[in-house]
Amino acid sequence: MILTVTLNTAVDLTYRVPRLEQHGSHHIREVTERPGGKGLNVARVLAALGHDAVVTGFVGGRTGEELRALLSAAPGSNRLTDALVPVGGSTRRTVAVVDEATGDTTQLNEPGPHITPEEWAAFLTAYGELLPGATAVALCGSLPPGVPVGAYATLVREARGAGVPVLLDTSGEPLLRGLAARPDVVKPNIDELAGITGTSEPLRAAREARRRGANAVAASLGADGMLTVTPDAAWRAAPPARLSGNPTGAGDSAVAGLLSGLVENLPWPDRLARAVALSAASVRARVAGEFDADAYAELLPQVVVTDQPLAA
Amino acid sequence: MILTVTLNTAVDLTYRVPRLEQHGSHHIREVTERPGGKGLNVARVLAALGHDAVVTGFVGGRTGEELRALLSAAPGSNRLTDALVPVGGSTRRTVAVVDEATGDTTQLNEPGPHITPEEWAAFLTAYGELLPGATAVALCGSLPPGVPVGAYATLVREARGAGVPVLLDTSGEPLLRGLAARPDVVKPNIDELAGITGTSEPLRAAREARRRGANAVAASLGADGMLTVTPDAAWRAAPPARLSGNPTGAGDSAVAGLLSGLVENLPWPDRLARAVALSAASVRARVAGEFDADAYAELLPQVVVTDQPLAA
């Protein structure tokens, strides 16, 4: 099984409004509720690809109960195992307000429950027990209040100690600290990469992230696809056309593509093609953690992967 | 006790953001959760004024459990009785996004659970059993899906049949239908009044609402106070100064002022002064259903009530 870690799980609410007006009052016509947090989205895409996934992280309160109920009712839930660790605080909500006039989304993210040192210790124990059964582990998203900023560095080291390949998908200081523990793959988007390396030129920034500790860097370029730098080579993968739709969750689908390719021992160009096709196919889906299977099948052979110069 | 009816109860979430940016992503720093829906706010203000209040309406799902927990923990809860009727659907959420840069609020209201004919019948039974113990009843807010549009007309007639004074605070077609059943008081704001009478001139619109069935009309004029037309007289009540703050819940505080004045047999000008002072004092509070007690005590003697011409 593939283990996904989501320390800041969420109940994701999507509100569709005919037009979002600042300082206006809106009657929501349609409310969608989904189990959320990046690692949960990754796990749901993995399940849809036929992989067994175990999800861990924190869960608590009535919103936590809601999250677990949504997770057990999600498509592909027979391939998903809930190994979330209970905490005293309440799981956060995120609200995505979709403006139907423009298709744009305004995102409101609650901070999440405060995690106590005892809860963090309980998580580390659970994580240590799950690792030996994992073929790969993904560490995803932001840290809830109370979790040490070096949390991902700790989790990366544990995974490496257990011989389990580890992918890190976060941003800012937690990413910077995590890099130093030498994860197998990091998957920042170009803004996150610029934030930690100080350069927005993708190839240069990806090389810099490798220098800081990542074995391979797979940088999301948004609608332009993905750039990867490994110790031996560099590639760029581009979708056949820019797709319009909801980009929420596209990055999580890309992580599922990279991880599934890793455990299937695909060559890097094939992992990249899968990540880019899944990402594009999820832009067509209405909610994060899902993708349009027909679009994926159609897009996969059309992704163009090109070699990039490895050295500066 | 005073009975308040809230057919579309809610868990009210308030998100404070440094600045709301359309199509941006926001990390919420502070989340406030309150038991919501107009009648619940009215009941909380009544409790703070020393009146016993019974709340009824619909409640369901995990959000409904949350609502009941919040209600039983609310200030003044020893004066509040929960007589909500359980339903199969889930109580809605409302999200108020407060832009701290401007103080303005963007409101997102979920539609509420679909009420079945059986659930509506169960409510009517519960309402009929509560009425004999009530000194007054307030019917507040929007109708959830499934409730007949003539619901308030039915509830007004029942109250009148039981000899209980009834105040109606709603808008649109439910207000228009409710008026025809001859409620003792309606409390529209000036936009709601214009919506059903076709005129935005307050005195003319209030008279028209009386002609359509209300015994007395107390129209909220926002920061300008309140205008009332009864069978015998008309008054306008104005706060000493325009207060800035969060207007959410100001109308509910006004309803609590009118109702408490009614059951205390205050003359109309005193009821109006109380409604306007409470309304202004709640603009100073951070959340709906609360008011600044010091501001209320200070404002009450300063409200100026003036006679208005009764005839056109």
Side-chain angles (χ1 to χ4, degrees), chain B residues 139-171:
Chain B
L139 310 174
C140 304
S142 63
L143 302 178
V147 169
V149 70
Y152 283 136
T154 304
L155 300 184
V156 168
R157 272 190 292 269
E158 283 263 333
R160 287 174 52 82
V164 181
V166 54
L167 181 151
L168 177 60
D169 182 11
T170 186
S171 59

Side-chain angles (χ1 to χ4, degrees), chain A residues 168 170-179 186 188-199 205-206 208-212 214 217:
Chain A
L168 176 61
T170 187
S171 59
E173 191 66 22
L175 171 56
L176 212 48
R177 303 278 191 110
L179 276 176
V186 292
N189 65 37
I190 202 64
D191 290 339
E192 291 160 351
L193 203 52
I196 59 159
T197 64
T199 173
E208 174 61 18
R210 280 207 69 242
R211 208 187 54 78
R212 287 172 184 258
V217 177

Side-chain angles (χ1 to χ4, degrees), chain B residues 7 58 115-117 119-121 124 142-155 173-174 177:
Chain B
L7 295 176
F58 296 112
I115 305 299
T116 66
E119 289 165 345
W120 175 238
L124 285 177
S142 63
L143 302 178
V147 169
V149 70
Y152 283 136
T154 304
L155 300 184
E173 190 67 20
R177 302 279 191 109

Side-chain angles (χ1 to χ4, degrees), chain B residues 12 106 276 281:
Chain B
D12 284 346
T106 304
V276 167

Side-chain angles (χ1 to χ4, degrees), chain B residues 141-227:
Chain B
S142 63
L143 302 178
V147 169
V149 70
Y152 283 136
T154 304
L155 300 184
V156 168
R157 272 190 292 269
E158 283 263 333
R160 287 174 52 82
V164 181
V166 54
L167 181 151
L168 177 60
D169 182 11
T170 186
S171 59
E173 190 67 20
L175 172 56
L176 212 48
R177 302 279 191 109
L179 276 177
R182 313 192 74 77
D184 295 275
V185 187
V186 293
K187 195 222 65 70
N189 64 36
I190 201 64
D191 290 340
E192 290 160 353
L193 203 52
I196 59 158
T197 63
T199 172
S200 57
E201 198 285 303
L203 199 55
R204 188 193 304 248
R207 280 198 213 100
E208 173 62 20
R210 279 207 69 239
R211 207 186 57 75
R212 287 172 184 258
N215 188 57
V217 177
S220 161
L221 309 174
D224 292 330
M226 189 166 253
L227 172 76

Side-chain angles (χ1 to χ4, degrees), chain A residues 11 13 15 17 20-31 33 62-63 65-66 69 90 92-95 97 99 102 104-111 142, chain B residues 11 13 15 17 20-31 33 62-63 65-66 69 90 92-95 97 99 102 104-111 142:
Chain A
V11 172
L13 304 175
Y15 290 166
V17 295
L20 178 62
E21 287 176 29
Q22 272 200 339
H23 314 146
S25 184
H26 306 78
H27 290 277
I28 311 301
R29 292 198 285 206
E30 187 191 328
V31 179
E33 275 187 68
R62 283 191 185 80
T63 39
E65 289 172 25
E66 183 73 16
S90 286
R92 69 190 174 129
R93 285 166 285 240
T94 74
V95 178
V97 186
D99 183 325
T102 64
D104 287 316
T105 299
T106 303
Q107 189 71 41
L108 301 159
N109 298 330
E110 295 186 6
S142 61
Chain B
V11 171
L13 304 174
Y15 290 167
V17 296
L20 179 61
E21 287 175 30
Q22 271 200 339
H23 314 145
S25 184
H26 306 78
H27 290 277
I28 311 300
R29 292 197 286 204
E30 187 193 327
V31 179
E33 275 188 68
R62 283 191 187 79
T63 40
E65 288 171 26
E66 184 72 16
S90 286
R92 69 191 174 129
R93 284 167 285 240
T94 74
V95 178
V97 186
D99 183 326
T102 64
D104 288 315
T105 299
T106 304
Q107 188 71 40
L108 301 159
N109 298 331
E110 295 187 4
S142 63

Side-chain angles (χ1 to χ4, degrees), chain A residues 212-225:
Chain A
R212 287 172 184 258
N215 188 57
V217 177
S220 161
L221 308 175
D224 291 331

Side-chain angles (χ1 to χ4, degrees), chain B residues 14 32 34 44 246 248-249 282 284-291:
Chain B
T14 303
T32 313
R34 285 288 183 285
R44 287 161 63 214
N246 177 8
T248 314
S282 72
R284 290 252 183 99
R286 278 169 73 88
V287 290
E290 293 179 14
F291 63 94

